[in-house]
């Protein structure tokens, strides 16, 4: 390996890496802030929520949302829509390369795992450092971040019955 080539690549991607790290940190902070708000609301109402639904506000639903009583029958499972994963579910449907992050139905018992993205961020930053050592640009999508966050957590998928309205 030509070390001078690797060093030139490292310098070329340094500013990109800083911006990606900044965006990744903001992503994690948004989820952590939301989690703190949920905890505050639960404390104010004197009881925890049964379900927490994370959703983009600009979604246009083509049919009604899947009935929570049907989703509940599967036990404690984080439910996300199919599609827009930018990756594939593996055969056991528990370990994904990427998961649709536009909407999630989360039982309260799994909410802490869903909203805590810090460990996934640290893992991604270690991988980025390894890639940077070889002069490679690292990228991570919000979908990959969600899959890493939920690694080992049961995940179910339902048909994607919405679209982002007015985007792009």
């Amino acid at each position: 390996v030509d070390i001078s080539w690797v060093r030139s690549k490292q310098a070329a991607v340094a500013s990109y890496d800083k911006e990606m790290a900044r965006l990744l940190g903001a992503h994690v902070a948004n989820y952590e802030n939301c989690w703190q708000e949920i905890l505050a609301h639960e404390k104010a109402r004197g009881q925890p929520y049964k379900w927490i639904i994370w959703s983009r506000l600009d979604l246009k639903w083509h049919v009604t949302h899947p009935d929570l009583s049907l989703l509940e029958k599967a036990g404690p499972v984080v439910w996300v829509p199919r599609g827009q994963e930018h990756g594939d579910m593996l055969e056991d449907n528990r370990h994904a390369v990427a998961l649709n992050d536009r909407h999630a139905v989360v039982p309260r018992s799994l909410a802490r795992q869903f909203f805590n993205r810090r460990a996934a961020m640290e893992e991604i930053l270690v991988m980025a450092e390894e890639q940077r050592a070889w002069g490679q640009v690292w990228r991570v999508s919000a979908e990959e971040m969600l899959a890493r966050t939920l690694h080992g957590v049961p995940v179910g998928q339902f048909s994607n019955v919405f679209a982002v309205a007015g985007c792009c």
Side-chain angles (χ1 to χ4, degrees):
V1 173
D2 180 358
I3 294 299
S4 62
W5 178 84
V6 171
R7 288 191 177 135
S8 69
K9 285 293 200 177
Q10 287 172 334
V13 301
S15 64
Y16 174 84
D17 286 349
K18 286 179 186 175
E19 179 63 8
M20 283 297 293
R22 184 189 69 75
L23 292 172
L24 190 57
H27 177 83
V28 169
N30 286 340
Y31 279 90
E32 288 177 350
N33 291 339
C34 185
W35 177 241
Q36 293 305 314
E37 288 290 324
I38 291 165
L39 293 175
H41 281 270
E42 286 180 336
K43 184 177 180 180
R45 69 192 294 257
Q47 65 181 357
Y49 293 106
K50 188 173 183 177
W51 292 94
I52 297 171
I53 297 180
W54 169 268
S55 191
R56 286 181 57 152
L57 298 177
D58 59 349
L59 298 180
K60 179 181 179 186
W61 292 82
H62 300 295
V63 298
T64 59
H65 189 278
D67 189 313
L68 295 179
S69 65
L70 295 175
L71 300 180
E72 188 172 33
K73 290 179 181 180
V77 174
V78 173
W79 290 94
V80 297
R82 285 188 185 91
Q84 299 295 313
E85 291 104 353
H86 306 291
D88 296 316
M89 289 294 289
L90 300 180
E91 286 182 21
D92 65 3
N93 281 346
R94 290 178 183 255
H95 303 99
V97 175
L99 292 168
N100 188 326
D101 73 328
R102 287 143 188 86
H103 182 81
V105 180
V106 185
R108 178 59 177 83
S109 63
L110 298 175
R112 180 180 293 276
Q113 292 96 319
F114 178 83
F115 286 97
N116 183 8
R117 309 286 168 108
R118 191 164 298 278
M121 180 181 81
E122 290 169 0
E123 181 181 320
I124 288 167
L125 291 174
V126 167
M127 289 174 30
E129 189 63 34
E130 292 169 359
Q131 290 177 329
R132 188 180 303 112
W134 291 99
Q136 297 174 344
V137 174
W138 65 281
R139 294 178 180 90
V140 63
S141 68
E143 294 83 6
E144 291 168 313
M145 173 67 96
L146 179 57
R148 288 185 182 283
T149 297
L150 295 179
H151 182 78
V153 173
V155 174
Q157 291 184 296
F158 58 87
S159 295
N160 190 342
V161 293
F162 59 79
V164 177
C167 177
C168 311

